[in-house]
Amino acid sequence: MPDIKTGSEGPEPAPSATDIATAWQRERPGTPTESIEIVTPIWWLAKLFADDRSRALREAGIDAATLDLLSVIRRSGPPYTLSTREIARRTLVTAGAISQRVARAERDGLVQRTPGATGRRTVLVELTAEGHALIERSVATVLGREAALVSGLSEHERPVLIALLDKLMADVRRRTTEES
């Protein structure tokens, strides 16, 4: 993969996705390259966003799994309590992974578990004051940084890109789940 940190480090700039598609057509005429100019920039952007988010999370003193757990509970509104089943549904993470995340966050004093009123197997997870404070700081850091990263898009371009990404995501999900 080309150096995508700046696109200009080293003796030559990194090739564009168009350059890559053109090279494949030159080297293997007839190769289906129509996806390269879409998928390759998405992969590169994902790496840039992931690397930047990792730095922001380190600065905020939280890991991605804990951010995900605390965020879903915080977004639920007062009293900032959800069942483990609902957390799993909202985060698209397995029940086992949620149990591990909750146990770790509980050890760290960020959440507390209580039995649910609807049945023996229902477990409710609630943010503690410390968990609430951590997610408030973390969200401000992470989302503020991500807002800065996309600030190069105009007010007109943003909704267009959002709609196109939503369309692509829905279609890719449909196609990949049909194949499973």
Side-chain angles (χ1 to χ4, degrees):
M1 185 163 95
D3 183 354
I4 60 172
K5 290 178 189 164
T6 65
S8 62
E9 290 184 24
E12 294 180 26
S16 70
T18 301
D19 294 338
I20 293 168
T22 301
W24 276 119
Q25 280 299 316
R26 181 188 69 240
E27 296 300 317
R28 292 198 59 196
T31 297
T33 58
E34 56 274 0
S35 65
I36 291 175
E37 292 174 276
I38 296 169
V39 176
T40 299
I42 290 172
W43 279 110
W44 290 347
L45 279 169
K47 174 152 179 28
L48 291 169
F49 282 128
D51 290 351
D52 195 77
R53 179 174 267 217
S54 291
R55 284 189 295 275
L57 291 173
R58 275 193 306 277
E59 290 171 19
I62 191 171
D63 63 82
T66 303
L67 176 75
D68 192 33
L69 172 67
L70 300 184
S71 292
V72 75
I73 298 169
R74 174 62 178 88
R75 289 191 312 264
S76 72
Y80 309 115
T81 303
L82 289 173
S83 70
T84 52
R85 178 172 290 162
E86 185 61 18
I87 293 169
R89 187 186 74 74
R90 292 183 185 193
T91 59
L92 304 176
V93 176
T94 66
I98 292 301
S99 292
Q100 291 175 353
R101 289 179 182 188
V102 169
R104 189 174 60 239
E106 188 174 41
R107 273 193 314 274
D108 293 342
L110 304 173
V111 300
Q112 64 182 24
R113 288 186 274 197
T114 57
T118 60
R120 292 188 344 241
R121 295 178 51 112
T122 302
V123 175
L124 298 177
V125 182
E126 179 180 6
L127 286 179
T128 63
E130 186 177 340
H132 195 279
L134 178 59
I135 195 59
E136 293 299 303
R137 286 190 314 272
S138 302
V139 165
T141 299
V142 172
L143 294 183
R145 180 65 189 147
E146 289 174 356
L149 291 175
V150 299
S151 66
L153 295 173
S154 71
E155 287 184 37
H156 171 74
E157 292 168 327
R158 288 171 188 243
V160 171
L161 180 58
I162 291 166
L164 290 171
L165 289 171
D166 285 347
K167 179 180 179 179
L168 182 60
M169 179 71 75
D171 190 54
V172 169
R173 273 196 178 128
R174 182 184 57 76
R175 290 171 188 269
T176 56
T177 56
E178 284 176 358
E179 295 172 4
S180 311

